[in-house]
Amino acid sequence: MKVGLPKNFRDAYLAAIVEHSSDAIVSKDLDGIVQSWNAAAERLFGIPATEMIGQSIRRIIPADRQYEEDAILARVRSGELVPKFETMRKRADGTEIPVAITVSPIRDASGTIVGASKIANDLREQANLRAELLHSQQQFKALANNIPQLAWMADEKGWVFWYNQRWYDFTGTTLEEMQGWGWRAVQHPDHVDRVVEGIQHAWDTGEAWEDTFPLRGKDGEYRWFLTRAQPLRNEAGEVILWCGTNTDITEERETNERIRLLMNEVNHRARNILATIQAIVHRTVGTADAELTEALIRRITALAANQDLLTGERWNGAAVDAIVRSQVLHVIDPTDHRVAFEGPEGIVLKPTAAEALGLAIHELATNALKYGALSNGDGEVAVRWRLADRDGERSFEIEWSESGGPPVKPPERKGFGTTIITRNPEMAFHGKVRLDFRRDGVLWRLAAGDDALTNQSASRSQ
C-alpha cells in the first residue's frame, strides 16, 4: 500500500518547485488571462507577478505573432499538448527576446480543461551563439570564395568533403562529382598516378604535402597548379582535418620558360662574343706574345664557364662547389685525382662573387699546373670551404692549399694574375685574402662575411 503526501503539503511542495524553477512557468485560463506567474517569468520578461496576474498573456506577444496565441488556445481547448517551438516574446521595455515554449492543458478534478500551463526557456544565449556561428560561417565562406586559390578540405582519412566556389567555377563540376576521390577526374592522365601516390603517402603519414601538376578546367584546357595540403591536429596530435589549396602557376611557368629561353639566347650570344674576342686576340697578338695570348684565352674561357653556371641558375647565383669543380676541371685532366674537394653543398654566391671566385680558382689551378703542386707527379691540392659562426655572425671561408710540388719561390713582380686572386675577391666578397708562398706549397685563403651569400645558402657550419 502506497502512502502519499497530504494534499496541502503536496500543493505547497509543487508550488515551491514552480516558484524556484529556472524556467518561466505561467498558467492561464482558456481566454488567455494569466493565473500564475513564477519568479523566473518575472526575471525573463521583466514584469512582476502583481502586474501580470489577471492580465492577458497577449501583453508579451509581439503584434506580428498574435496569431500564435489563437492557435495555442484552440489546440489547448481540444486537449492537445503544444510541443516545444521557438518564437519571440516581448519584455517590459518592448524589446523582443527569443524563447522556446511548451504548452499543455490544465484539467480540473473532473477532467475538464480549464486552462493551460506554459513553460518558456530563455534562448538569448543560444541565439547569440548561433549568430556568432553564422557570422563565422559567413566570414569563412567570404574568405574561402574570394581567395585566388582553389581550396578544399578532407577528413582525417583524406575523403574530400568541401571545395570553395573557385574550384567549381574553374572545373565546372559539383560536390557530388568531386567528393571523396572524385577529384581524380580533373587530373591529367599523365600525372594522376603520381599525384595519387603522393597524396596517399600524406594521408598515411600525416606529413604535409606539396606537388605541382595540371588540372583540367571546364573549357577542357589544362592549367598548372602548385598544390599544398596541411594537416590540422587535435590536442593529442592526431590529424582531424586536411586543408588544401591549388594555386594557378601557369603564367609563372610560361614566364619562367620565356626567361630561360631568353637567357640561353643571351648566353649563346655572349659566348659568340667571347669567341670573337678570342679570335681577335689570336690575330692581334698571335705568336708575337704566345704567353699573353694563352693568358687571355684561358681567362676568357674561365669567364665563359662562370657564365654557363650562372645562366643555368637564371643568374640568381651559383653554388660554391659547382664553381670550384667547374673551374678546376677546365684546367686539369678530370682523370687526375690529385685535387681534393671538401665542403658542403648549398652555399650559393651572388653573381658578382661567383664570377670573382671562379676567376680566382681558375688562376690558382693554372698556376698550380704550370709552376706549383700539379706541375710534377707528386704534388696535391686541397680546396676546402665552409660556413662559420664568428661572434654570432655568419662568415664564409675558402682555402686553396698546395703540397708536394717543387719548392715555391715568391714571384718577383705582381701582375694581373695576382689581382685576379687577391683584389678582385676582396672587393666582391668584402673580405680579406691571404696569399702565402710557402716553400712547400702555395696557400690562398679568403675569409668574408655573408654579404656575398644568397638567402638560399645553407645555414649550417661545416
Side-chain angles (χ1 to χ4, degrees):
M1 176 179 178
K2 294 182 179 179
V3 178
L5 295 171
K7 183 178 185 304
N8 59 345
F9 183 82
R10 184 173 66 249
D11 291 344
Y13 186 73
L14 293 175
I17 293 175
V18 170
E19 186 62 22
H20 292 90
S21 171
S22 59
D23 295 326
I25 300 177
V26 176
S27 65
K28 59 188 177 182
D29 64 19
L30 294 179
D31 293 322
I33 303 302
V34 175
Q35 303 299 309
S36 66
W37 186 265
N38 74 344
E42 291 184 336
R43 293 191 298 272
L44 179 60
F45 298 108
I47 305 173
T50 55
E51 289 186 20
M52 275 305 297
I53 294 175
Q55 302 296 316
S56 174
I57 195 68
R58 292 179 184 273
R59 175 180 173 180
I60 63 171
I61 302 176
D64 61 347
R65 293 182 179 270
Q66 289 291 325
Y67 67 90
E68 292 180 353
E69 181 63 11
D70 296 331
I72 289 171
L73 290 176
R75 296 180 68 177
V76 167
R77 291 189 186 103
S78 66
E80 292 184 46
L81 172 70
V82 180
K84 183 182 290 188
F85 68 98
E86 295 183 10
T87 185
M88 301 296 291
R89 291 294 183 257
K90 290 194 304 181
R91 284 176 52 82
D93 59 5
T95 59
E96 296 186 7
I97 58 173
V99 294
I101 292 175
T102 304
V103 183
S104 56
I106 298 176
R107 301 175 186 271
D108 62 13
S110 65
T112 303
I113 297 173
V114 295
S117 172
K118 178 175 73 173
I119 300 176
N121 305 120
D122 188 353
L123 297 182
R124 281 176 292 184
E125 184 176 352
Q126 292 91 323
N128 289 336
L129 292 174
R130 288 177 184 175
E132 291 177 5
L133 178 60
L134 177 61
H135 183 60
S136 297
Q137 290 175 333
Q138 291 172 337
Q139 286 183 319
F140 171 76
K141 185 176 181 180
L143 174 64
N145 290 332
N146 284 282
I147 60 175
Q149 291 91 354
L150 315 184
W152 46 271
M153 287 191 291
D155 65 18
E156 73 280 3
K157 296 181 180 179
W159 181 269
V160 181
F161 61 85
W162 175 88
Y163 296 90
N164 69 344
Q165 189 58 43
R166 288 195 182 274
W167 174 277
Y168 301 123
D169 292 342
F170 174 74
T171 62
T173 60
T174 64
L175 177 60
E176 288 71 23
E177 296 170 323
M178 292 288 101
Q179 66 181 337
W181 288 86
W183 51 267
R184 289 178 294 184
V186 297
Q187 290 283 330
H188 193 285
D190 294 344
H191 297 265
V192 62
D193 291 340
R194 173 180 61 82
V195 173
V196 169
E197 181 181 356
I199 198 168
Q200 185 62 60
H201 176 76
W203 300 155
D204 294 340
T205 63
E207 298 174 0
W209 176 63
E210 180 176 312
D211 202 352
T212 302
F213 48 79
L215 293 174
R216 188 183 68 240
K218 59 185 177 183
D219 58 0
E221 298 295 323
Y222 286 92
R223 295 183 67 83
W224 281 88
F225 286 83
L226 170 63
T227 300
R228 294 187 175 99
Q230 290 285 344
L232 180 66
R233 303 178 185 274
N234 60 19
E235 293 181 355
E238 301 167 330
V239 175
I240 58 174
L241 189 70
W242 287 88
C243 298
T245 58
N246 306 82
T247 304
D248 192 336
I249 58 171
T250 305
E251 280 77 16
E252 180 181 347
R253 283 174 60 91
E254 292 173 350
T255 299
N256 288 340
E257 179 61 18
R258 286 194 295 269
I259 291 173
R260 186 187 68 80
L261 293 174
L262 178 61
M263 293 184 71
N264 285 342
E265 178 63 22
V266 170
N267 185 47
H268 175 70
R269 296 190 180 191
R271 290 184 67 86
N272 286 342
I273 292 172
L274 292 176
T276 301
I277 292 173
Q278 287 179 328
I280 292 174
V281 169
H282 275 294
R283 292 182 181 180
T284 303
V285 182
T287 57
D289 192 336
E291 186 177 351
L292 174 60
T293 300
E294 181 192 355
L296 289 173
I297 295 302
R298 63 179 174 77
R299 286 164 183 161
I300 291 172
T301 301
L303 281 172
N306 266 353
Q307 185 171 284
D308 286 343
L309 282 177
L310 289 168
T311 300
E313 297 297 329
R314 302 178 183 178
W315 284 84
N316 291 319
V320 172
D321 58 318
I323 296 170
V324 171
R325 295 176 190 274
S326 172
Q327 292 296 350
V328 169
L329 296 178
H330 265 83
V331 175
I332 300 169
D333 187 339
T335 62
D336 188 341
H337 300 295
R338 291 184 295 157
V339 179
F341 303 98
E342 181 184 336
E345 298 179 357
I347 302 178
V348 182
L349 302 179
K350 295 176 182 177
T352 300
E355 289 183 318
L357 179 62
L359 288 173
I361 295 297
H362 187 276
E363 195 72 19
L364 289 165
T366 301
N367 290 339
L369 186 63
K370 281 187 172 184
Y371 318 110
L374 302 179
S375 64
N376 63 17
D378 301 321
E380 295 180 342
V381 174
V383 189
R384 305 181 183 91
W385 62 92
R386 67 170 186 157
L387 290 178
D389 188 350
R390 298 190 180 282
D391 299 327
E393 294 186 1
R394 189 172 61 165
S395 64
F396 170 69
E397 298 175 359
I398 184 168
E399 175 184 280
W400 174 284
S401 178
E402 299 181 22
S403 62
V408 175
K409 294 181 180 181
E412 296 179 357
R413 64 181 181 85
K414 294 181 179 180
F416 184 63
T418 304
T419 300
I420 288 177
I421 63 177
T422 56
R423 184 179 176 186
N424 281 7
E426 286 181 337
M427 293 180 63
F429 283 83
H430 304 291
K432 184 66 177 176
V433 168
R434 173 189 172 189
L435 180 58
D436 189 354
F437 294 97
R438 302 174 304 178
R439 182 171 177 80
D440 57 339
V442 170
L443 173 66
W444 175 88
R445 181 180 292 132
L446 167 65
D450 62 358
D451 293 347
L453 306 181
T454 66
N455 291 332
Q456 68 191 82
S457 294
S459 60
R460 66 184 185 276
S461 297
Q462 295 268 337

